[in-house]
Short mmCIF file of all heavy atoms in Angstrom, two decimals:
data_model
loop_
_atom_site.label_atom_id
_atom_site.label_comp_id
_atom_site.label_asym_id
_atom_site.label_seq_id
_atom_site.Cartn_x
_atom_site.Cartn_y
_atom_site.Cartn_z
N ILE N 199 -8.30 -24.75 -12.24
CA ILE N 199 -7.95 -25.19 -10.91
C ILE N 199 -7.45 -23.96 -10.06
O ILE N 199 -6.94 -23.01 -10.64
CB ILE N 199 -6.73 -26.17 -11.01
CG1 ILE N 199 -6.21 -26.66 -9.71
CG2 ILE N 199 -5.65 -25.72 -11.86
CD1 ILE N 199 -5.10 -27.62 -9.72
N ASN N 200 -7.75 -24.03 -8.83
CA ASN N 200 -7.27 -22.91 -7.93
C ASN N 200 -5.80 -22.94 -7.70
O ASN N 200 -5.24 -24.07 -7.63
CB ASN N 200 -7.98 -23.19 -6.58
CG ASN N 200 -8.99 -22.09 -6.28
OD1 ASN N 200 -9.85 -21.88 -7.11
ND2 ASN N 200 -8.85 -21.51 -5.08
N HIS N 201 -5.29 -21.79 -7.62
CA HIS N 201 -3.82 -21.70 -7.37
C HIS N 201 -3.54 -21.15 -5.96
O HIS N 201 -4.30 -20.31 -5.50
CB HIS N 201 -3.23 -20.70 -8.40
CG HIS N 201 -1.75 -20.68 -8.38
ND1 HIS N 201 -0.99 -20.02 -7.34
CD2 HIS N 201 -0.80 -21.16 -9.26
CE1 HIS N 201 0.29 -20.19 -7.70
NE2 HIS N 201 0.50 -20.83 -8.88
N HIS N 202 -2.56 -21.78 -5.32
CA HIS N 202 -2.31 -21.38 -3.94
C HIS N 202 -1.93 -19.90 -3.73
O HIS N 202 -2.06 -19.31 -2.63
CB HIS N 202 -1.24 -22.27 -3.37
CG HIS N 202 0.04 -22.36 -4.14
ND1 HIS N 202 1.12 -21.60 -3.93
CD2 HIS N 202 0.33 -23.17 -5.14
CE1 HIS N 202 2.06 -21.93 -4.82
NE2 HIS N 202 1.57 -22.85 -5.62
N GLN N 203 -1.53 -19.22 -4.78
CA GLN N 203 -1.17 -17.81 -4.62
C GLN N 203 -2.17 -16.92 -5.30
O GLN N 203 -2.58 -15.82 -4.80
CB GLN N 203 0.26 -17.47 -5.23
CG GLN N 203 1.36 -18.31 -4.67
CD GLN N 203 1.57 -17.94 -3.17
OE1 GLN N 203 1.52 -16.87 -2.65
NE2 GLN N 203 1.63 -19.07 -2.40
N THR N 204 -2.68 -17.34 -6.45
CA THR N 204 -3.62 -16.50 -7.21
C THR N 204 -5.10 -16.84 -7.14
O THR N 204 -5.90 -16.21 -7.83
CB THR N 204 -3.16 -16.36 -8.64
OG1 THR N 204 -3.15 -17.72 -9.16
CG2 THR N 204 -1.80 -15.81 -8.85
N GLY N 205 -5.32 -17.84 -6.32
CA GLY N 205 -6.80 -18.28 -6.19
C GLY N 205 -7.47 -18.72 -7.41
O GLY N 205 -6.82 -19.41 -8.22
N ASP N 206 -8.66 -18.07 -7.66
CA ASP N 206 -9.34 -18.63 -8.97
C ASP N 206 -9.23 -17.53 -10.00
O ASP N 206 -10.02 -17.50 -11.00
CB ASP N 206 -10.73 -18.90 -8.58
CG ASP N 206 -11.53 -17.78 -8.02
OD1 ASP N 206 -10.91 -16.65 -7.97
OD2 ASP N 206 -12.72 -17.94 -7.67
N LYS N 207 -8.22 -16.75 -9.87
CA LYS N 207 -8.15 -15.61 -10.93
C LYS N 207 -7.89 -16.22 -12.27
O LYS N 207 -8.26 -15.71 -13.29
CB LYS N 207 -6.89 -14.69 -10.51
CG LYS N 207 -6.71 -13.65 -11.56
CD LYS N 207 -5.75 -12.53 -11.08
CE LYS N 207 -5.52 -11.51 -12.14
NZ LYS N 207 -4.38 -10.64 -11.83
N TRP N 208 -7.08 -17.28 -12.35
CA TRP N 208 -6.71 -17.84 -13.71
C TRP N 208 -7.24 -19.16 -14.02
O TRP N 208 -7.24 -19.99 -13.00
CB TRP N 208 -5.10 -17.85 -13.78
CG TRP N 208 -4.45 -16.53 -13.71
CD1 TRP N 208 -3.88 -15.96 -12.52
CD2 TRP N 208 -4.25 -15.54 -14.75
NE1 TRP N 208 -3.39 -14.71 -12.83
CE2 TRP N 208 -3.61 -14.51 -14.15
CE3 TRP N 208 -4.59 -15.46 -16.10
CZ2 TRP N 208 -3.28 -13.27 -14.83
CZ3 TRP N 208 -4.26 -14.40 -16.80
CH2 TRP N 208 -3.62 -13.30 -16.18
N CYS N 209 -7.51 -19.45 -15.27
CA CYS N 209 -7.69 -20.86 -15.68
C CYS N 209 -6.82 -21.21 -16.72
O CYS N 209 -6.88 -22.35 -17.32
CB CYS N 209 -9.23 -21.05 -15.98
SG CYS N 209 -9.72 -20.21 -17.43
N VAL N 210 -5.93 -20.33 -17.12
CA VAL N 210 -4.78 -20.74 -18.05
C VAL N 210 -3.47 -20.42 -17.22
O VAL N 210 -3.40 -19.47 -16.51
CB VAL N 210 -4.80 -19.87 -19.39
CG1 VAL N 210 -5.97 -20.23 -20.24
CG2 VAL N 210 -4.79 -18.36 -19.03
N TYR N 211 -2.57 -21.31 -17.47
CA TYR N 211 -1.32 -21.22 -16.75
C TYR N 211 -0.12 -21.42 -17.65
O TYR N 211 -0.15 -22.20 -18.59
CB TYR N 211 -1.17 -22.27 -15.64
CG TYR N 211 -2.19 -22.06 -14.49
CD1 TYR N 211 -3.33 -22.75 -14.42
CD2 TYR N 211 -1.83 -21.13 -13.49
CE1 TYR N 211 -4.25 -22.48 -13.34
CE2 TYR N 211 -2.77 -20.82 -12.46
CZ TYR N 211 -3.88 -21.51 -12.31
OH TYR N 211 -4.85 -21.28 -11.39
N PRO N 212 0.88 -20.54 -17.44
CA PRO N 212 2.03 -20.58 -18.38
C PRO N 212 2.95 -21.78 -18.08
O PRO N 212 2.93 -22.26 -17.00
CB PRO N 212 2.77 -19.27 -18.08
CG PRO N 212 2.44 -18.96 -16.65
CD PRO N 212 1.07 -19.44 -16.43
N MET N 213 3.57 -22.28 -19.12
CA MET N 213 4.40 -23.50 -18.89
C MET N 213 5.85 -23.01 -18.34
O MET N 213 6.18 -21.84 -18.46
CB MET N 213 4.73 -24.12 -20.33
CG MET N 213 3.51 -24.61 -20.95
SD MET N 213 2.62 -25.88 -20.03
CE MET N 213 3.76 -27.28 -20.27
N TYR N 214 6.49 -24.01 -17.79
CA TYR N 214 7.67 -23.67 -17.03
C TYR N 214 8.70 -22.94 -17.91
O TYR N 214 9.33 -21.93 -17.46
CB TYR N 214 8.29 -25.01 -16.59
CG TYR N 214 9.52 -24.95 -15.90
CD1 TYR N 214 9.69 -24.57 -14.54
CD2 TYR N 214 10.81 -25.04 -16.56
CE1 TYR N 214 10.87 -24.47 -13.84
CE2 TYR N 214 12.04 -24.88 -15.94
CZ TYR N 214 12.05 -24.63 -14.60
OH TYR N 214 13.23 -24.46 -13.98
N ASP N 215 9.07 -23.49 -19.18
CA ASP N 215 10.09 -22.94 -20.01
C ASP N 215 9.73 -21.52 -20.25
O ASP N 215 10.74 -20.70 -20.38
CB ASP N 215 10.25 -23.72 -21.34
CG ASP N 215 11.03 -24.94 -21.13
OD1 ASP N 215 11.92 -24.97 -20.23
OD2 ASP N 215 10.81 -25.95 -21.82
N PHE N 216 8.52 -21.18 -20.57
CA PHE N 216 8.15 -19.79 -20.95
C PHE N 216 8.30 -18.87 -19.62
O PHE N 216 8.84 -17.81 -19.72
CB PHE N 216 6.65 -19.80 -21.34
CG PHE N 216 6.17 -18.49 -21.74
CD1 PHE N 216 6.55 -17.76 -22.93
CD2 PHE N 216 5.13 -17.89 -20.95
CE1 PHE N 216 6.04 -16.56 -23.17
CE2 PHE N 216 4.51 -16.67 -21.23
CZ PHE N 216 5.04 -15.99 -22.31
N THR N 217 7.84 -19.47 -18.53
CA THR N 217 7.85 -18.72 -17.30
C THR N 217 9.27 -18.39 -16.74
O THR N 217 9.59 -17.30 -16.24
CB THR N 217 7.03 -19.45 -16.19
OG1 THR N 217 5.82 -19.86 -16.78
CG2 THR N 217 6.84 -18.63 -14.89
N HIS N 218 10.11 -19.45 -16.83
CA HIS N 218 11.32 -19.37 -16.12
C HIS N 218 12.32 -18.28 -16.53
O HIS N 218 12.69 -17.46 -15.84
CB HIS N 218 12.05 -20.66 -16.11
CG HIS N 218 13.22 -20.77 -15.20
ND1 HIS N 218 12.97 -21.05 -13.91
CD2 HIS N 218 14.44 -20.64 -15.36
CE1 HIS N 218 14.24 -20.98 -13.32
NE2 HIS N 218 15.12 -20.71 -14.16
N GLY N 219 12.59 -18.31 -17.89
CA GLY N 219 13.49 -17.37 -18.31
C GLY N 219 12.90 -15.92 -18.28
O GLY N 219 13.74 -14.97 -18.04
N LEU N 220 11.76 -15.81 -18.66
CA LEU N 220 11.07 -14.52 -18.58
C LEU N 220 11.01 -13.88 -17.18
O LEU N 220 11.23 -12.68 -16.93
CB LEU N 220 9.72 -14.51 -19.22
CG LEU N 220 9.69 -14.79 -20.69
CD1 LEU N 220 8.32 -14.90 -21.31
CD2 LEU N 220 10.52 -13.78 -21.54
#
Side-chain angles (χ1 to χ4, degrees):
I199 176 179
N200 247 50
H201 188 287
H202 49 96
Q203 301 301 314
T204 57
D206 60 5
K207 177 169 178 191
W208 298 97
C209 64
V210 288
Y211 290 101
M213 300 298 285
Y214 178 86
D215 278 331
F216 179 69
T217 309
H218 190 80
L220 295 176

